[in-house]
Amino acid sequence: MSLLKEPDFGTPERPGPATVSVEIDGLPVTVPEGTSVMRAAAQAGLDIPKLCATDSLEAFGSCRLCVVEIDGRRGTPASCTTPCADGMKVSTQTPKVEKLRQGVMELYISDHPLDCLTCPANGDCELQDMAGVVGLRQVRYGYEGANHLEAEKDTSNPYFDFDPSKCIACSRCVRACGEVQGTFALTIEGRGFDSKVSAGAGESFMDSECVSCGACVQACPTSTLQERSVVELGMPTRSVVTTCAYCGVGCSFKAELRGDELVRMVPHKDGGANEGHSCVKGRFAFGYATHPDRVLKPMVRERITDPWREVEWDEAIGTVARRMRELQDRYGTSSVGAITSSRCTNEEVYVVQKMVRAAFGNNNVDTCARVCHSPTGYGLKQTFGESAGTQDFRSVAEADVIMVIGANPTDGHPVFASRMKRRLREGAKLIVVDPRRIDLVRSPHVEAEHHLQLRPSTNVAVVNAMAHVVVVESLVDRAFVDARCEGFDEWAEFVARPENSPEAVEEITGVPAAELRAAARLFATAPNGAIYYGLGVTEHSQGSTMVMGMANLAMACGNIGRDGVGVNPLRGQNNVQGSCDMGSFPHELPGYRHVSDDAVRTVFENLWGGTLLAEPGLRIPNMFDAAIDGTFRGLFVHGEDIAQSDPNLKHVTAALEAMELVVVQDLFLNETAKFAHVFLPGASFLEKDGTFTNAERRINRVRAVMKPKTGKHEWQIVSEIATAMGYPMAYDHPRAIMDEIASVTPTFTGVSFDLLDKLGSVQWPCNEEAPEGTPIMHVDEFVRGKGKFVVTSYVPTNERSTRRFPLVLTTGRILSQYNVGAQTRRTGNVAWHPEDILELHPHDAEDRGIKDGDMVTLASRVGRTTLRAEISDRMPTGVVYTTFHHPVTGANVVTTENSDWATNCPEYKVTAVQVGLARPERHSDTEVTDNGLVTVVD
């Protein structure tokens, strides 16, 4: 439980020791230099009236409500814009300032609707509060003159309305859009009485560049910007602090409720990852949790062609246990397995992998990280000794040069992107390495110094060429390398070879040699250079090689072990880091320790009471192959939609159809559930108690806002399946599961629910050496001792464009949708992205007679689909791009079985394709829809 209203000190905190002493209304207070009088007063327990000031924004000084008197100074300065000076004496409640405040408030109220009793913000309106604080009793000015009371309301946004009749032109929304979000979609238009908030160039909020992050709504002191949920349900009366279940940023939110009904999600100011900011998904797109599509009862069927039959939990759990045991009796112990979920809590993931190892008796457990960031785990483990990113998100504020490789933070990790853009506006330089011109290349107040627009699949050649420049031009940080690394000489000899020079690789990568050289020099000579990367690095045949290549570059430049540097994966799902930490890979137990390690295995055997296999189990692709071969017969799929998200869907669906038992646990009947024999309804994040671990290794508490609508917790269901299979497993609460995790996982030994409740969050490792966590990794030495340089030879992908498939498809995400869209498609977010779109270059479109908006066929050597075309110059000629959020499109119908050499992470980012106009004729592998367009049915 938390306060509905968090304390607001009026202006941001200033860093540094408290060295400035002032006296405010007779009370002494000491604050850091640069602290405003308003904040100092608040720290002393004295709240000065304010409207334009809030501690998430820099002081503006426009409302004139916060005026004070200062001994020895003329006039009545605004306390928000006046910094404290040593020895200053301030009076906040003199007759003069009281009269001034009443006059100011009277003017505000004279042009404001007097509908407080019916206003949705009644009781949560700062204008209303301040009128009471300043003692306003009457308004001498009537409504006879000019006013704004008839201003037209903007209801275009699906989540909030803009009512200009209630606007006091305080500019808080405008400043939040710029300072916090960094989109600059709002402005104050006109002057004087004609001043008004405008979205874009006089557009509606929906048509403007507004990204619906909610910063403006949160900043608004009146009900000018108001959530529709508050209008419909009323003001919340209580709140619970929890963690967002979308991307890997891991934002903390206050879930605000009225009774047991969730009214709104408000970003928590004390959230370590987001510090009071949010994006459209976390802030508004929570309606899926109560969507009527949710399945709340277990269901079973004998064959996938049979209709579903609702059953009670005992029958469903008993069916899973019985049929799993029958399969093992017929086909062997290794004939069944499970896939864990990166959307579920650490505690839930832990019990699933424990069920596989202790109840199933094998290591056939894998996770969706296999298809996204498994190369991160492998590559960083080899070079640094730990399978995780090096920094906390705050670290970016100290970076001088930021290199973004194969990531699109403004779409995929928008709250972190806002942090990054703030640093870029302060003067940091940006290098973008991406085939597509992402928004960061050029957006308001941000422009990349270099955009290395490489050809898909040539990442390793680019990073080797950058390293070539660093070595050949003697830009290596020799002191760092000599003291902290090994293998440098062999690596340096390799990258210095002429074939790795920018000039030599230009023909391979398409990046001009001069541009690449300049980018390498900029990164190498920066005091602090930071690398942030995404799936555009990992989802390649050389994904692991590229991760090691980036680690090589960072070590060579000395960019490890302090603020503002590092190698930082931007993880896609809310708990993809945690699912890996918890032992979801077939070769690793919790804490990234190999199953062949006798000492480690003994620890778990003693705790779990049984013998564990020393041989790794099957990876997801191996499970599919074995299913088609007839040796893998049963699969428990925990919260993943592999029939939409995995590559080469023909192969995936063939494997699912071949199995005798597929168990799906999820919120909705997704694409994978079409092949399931048992469906176990899952719980939304609002019903969970436990922890998520975000991309910066931050362990955040997830607290239940409501009881599970299904009647059971997910960890409880898994435990009951294991018990029914003959392995007793029982917990009374998720805190007991975390205590077990901490007892066997060295990086988690200090973690407990009590610690998280006390500190808010911690970043692992959290143990005796770091009792409050580790924001920055590898500070004095690498986890493996010495950082290891690894030779990273560039090997071209087997996936090549041909005469039949002359284009290259790459994929990515969009801001409003999330992964396979199961959650966001059931919210108002569909207003921004109702379908997947194929972007293609004007030249490629003209060659094929394709116009903007045409339906086109996208075909590869393994499949085809149909979707709408959008002509765009974001990609170079020869490259097309789409998202994968809608199952009706099924973008992964065309992606192939190519994968990373070390981890089997699929090569989603490189698929040879052809694009053509969709024809309305009927074909054997297509059907004509009602609108006459061709869709693929194979």
Side-chain angles (χ1 to χ4, degrees), residues 387-410:
S387 301
T390 60
Q391 314 294 117
D392 61 356
F393 288 146
R394 290 189 184 99
S395 168
V396 76
E398 303 298 324
D400 300 295
V401 172
I402 300 168
M403 184 151 58
V404 177
I405 309 178
N408 188 4
T410 54

Side-chain angles (χ1 to χ4, degrees), residues 914-928:
Q914 178 60 289
V915 177
L917 279 168
R919 304 297 180 187
E921 299 90 19
R922 191 179 293 272
H923 294 283
S924 60
D925 61 345
T926 61
E927 64 180 15
V928 181

Side-chain angles (χ1 to χ4, degrees), residues 312-643:
E312 296 302 318
W313 275 111
D314 286 349
E315 181 178 346
I317 289 167
T319 299
V320 174
R322 173 178 53 79
R323 294 186 64 180
M324 283 288 185
R325 277 289 180 237
E326 289 173 353
L327 291 176
Q328 290 185 304
D329 289 342
R330 287 205 305 272
Y331 301 104
T333 302
S334 294
S335 61
V336 300
I339 298 173
T340 71
S341 174
S342 293
R343 293 192 286 126
C344 293
T345 65
N346 286 316
E347 294 75 14
E348 291 164 341
V349 171
Y350 178 85
V351 296
V352 172
Q353 64 85 32
K354 180 179 178 179
M355 174 182 71
V356 172
R357 293 188 159 106
F360 291 7
N362 61 49
N363 286 317
N364 292 339
V365 61
D366 209 348
T367 181
C368 79
R370 173 69 55 208
V371 300
C372 62
H373 269 286
S374 51
T376 287
Y378 180 89
L380 294 183
K381 183 85 168 182
Q382 300 302 309
T383 50
F384 297 163
E386 191 59 88
S387 301
T390 60
Q391 314 294 117
D392 61 356
F393 288 146
R394 290 189 184 99
S395 168
V396 76
E398 303 298 324
D400 300 295
V401 172
I402 300 168
M403 184 151 58
V404 177
I405 309 178
N408 188 4
T410 54
D411 278 317
H413 305 85
V415 172
F416 173 71
S418 293
R419 281 187 187 269
M420 181 186 292
K421 289 191 290 184
R422 190 178 312 136
R423 179 57 184 152
L424 294 170
R425 294 195 302 273
E426 292 169 351
K429 303 296 185 183
L430 174 65
I431 301 167
V432 173
V433 184
D434 202 292
R436 188 168 177 260
R437 192 184 71 245
I438 61 174
D439 287 345
L440 278 178
V441 172
R442 188 173 187 183
S443 57
H445 301 272
V446 170
E447 185 168 4
E449 198 79 5
H450 302 283
H451 176 203
L452 307 185
Q453 196 169 25
L454 75 171
R455 294 190 179 102
S457 82
T458 62
N459 286 335
V460 173
V462 166
V463 79
N464 285 346
M466 294 187 78
H468 175 94
V469 175
V470 172
V471 170
V472 171
E473 298 188 7
S474 301
L475 301 176
V476 174
D477 185 338
R478 290 303 312 223
F480 180 92
V481 169
D482 292 345
R484 298 194 50 185
C485 303
E486 63 185 13
F488 173 79
D489 290 341
E490 180 185 357
W491 173 80
E493 185 277 327
F494 160 73
V495 296
R497 294 173 188 169
E499 60 264 30
N500 289 318
S501 71
E503 289 75 17
V505 304
E506 180 174 340
E507 186 175 346
I508 297 170
T509 67
V511 179
E515 185 82 359
L516 199 152
R517 281 189 178 276
R521 291 169 186 146
L522 178 65
F523 182 79
T525 57
N528 290 327
I531 297 172
Y532 294 89
Y533 70 94
L535 302 185
V537 161
T538 57
E539 291 179 343
H540 285 278
S541 61
Q542 281 201 288
S544 294
T545 310
M546 181 59 181
V547 173
M548 292 186 289
M550 294 184 301
N552 291 337
L553 183 63
M555 288 188 291
C557 298
N559 283 325
I560 294 292
R562 62 183 185 278
D563 276 328
V565 299
V567 179
N568 307 283
L570 295 176
R571 304 245 182 191
Q573 296 200 64
N574 54 300
N575 201 36
V576 69
Q577 180 68 60
S579 70
C580 300
D581 299 341
M582 293 300 102
S584 289
F585 288 127
H587 66 291
E588 288 176 336
L589 289 156
Y592 303 99
R593 291 164 294 167
H594 204 278
V595 294
S596 63
D597 188 317
D598 293 341
V600 171
R601 214 169 52 256
T602 299
V603 169
F604 285 91
E605 288 175 341
N606 290 338
L607 178 66
W608 292 350
T611 301
L612 301 182
L613 295 182
E615 292 297 321
L618 298 176
R619 297 173 174 179
I620 291 174
N622 306 136
M623 293 180 189
F624 295 157
D625 291 342
I628 291 172
D629 290 343
T631 57
F632 187 80
R633 311 306 297 162
L635 179 64
F636 180 91
V637 184
H638 188 219
E640 293 296 336
D641 193 3
I642 54 177

Side-chain angles (χ1 to χ4, degrees), residues 36-60:
S36 71
V37 169
M38 176 180 283
R39 187 177 184 96
Q43 290 179 207
L46 303 168
D47 288 330
I48 298 174
K50 60 186 184 296
L51 280 174
C52 73
T54 182
D55 57 14
S56 63
L57 304 172
E58 291 298 327
F60 195 57

Side-chain angles (χ1 to χ4, degrees), residues 797-809 848 859-861 878 910-915:
T797 175
N798 291 328
E799 185 72 5
R800 311 286 179 84
S801 55
T802 64
R803 290 181 63 186
R804 186 180 177 192
F805 302 111
L807 304 174
V808 173
L809 169 70
R848 291 160 177 79
S860 73
R861 60 182 171 82
V910 188
T911 305
V913 296
Q914 178 60 289
V915 177

Side-chain angles (χ1 to χ4, degrees), residues 241-253:
V241 176
T242 189
T243 303
C244 179
Y246 279 116
C247 79
V249 173
C251 295
S252 297
F253 278 87

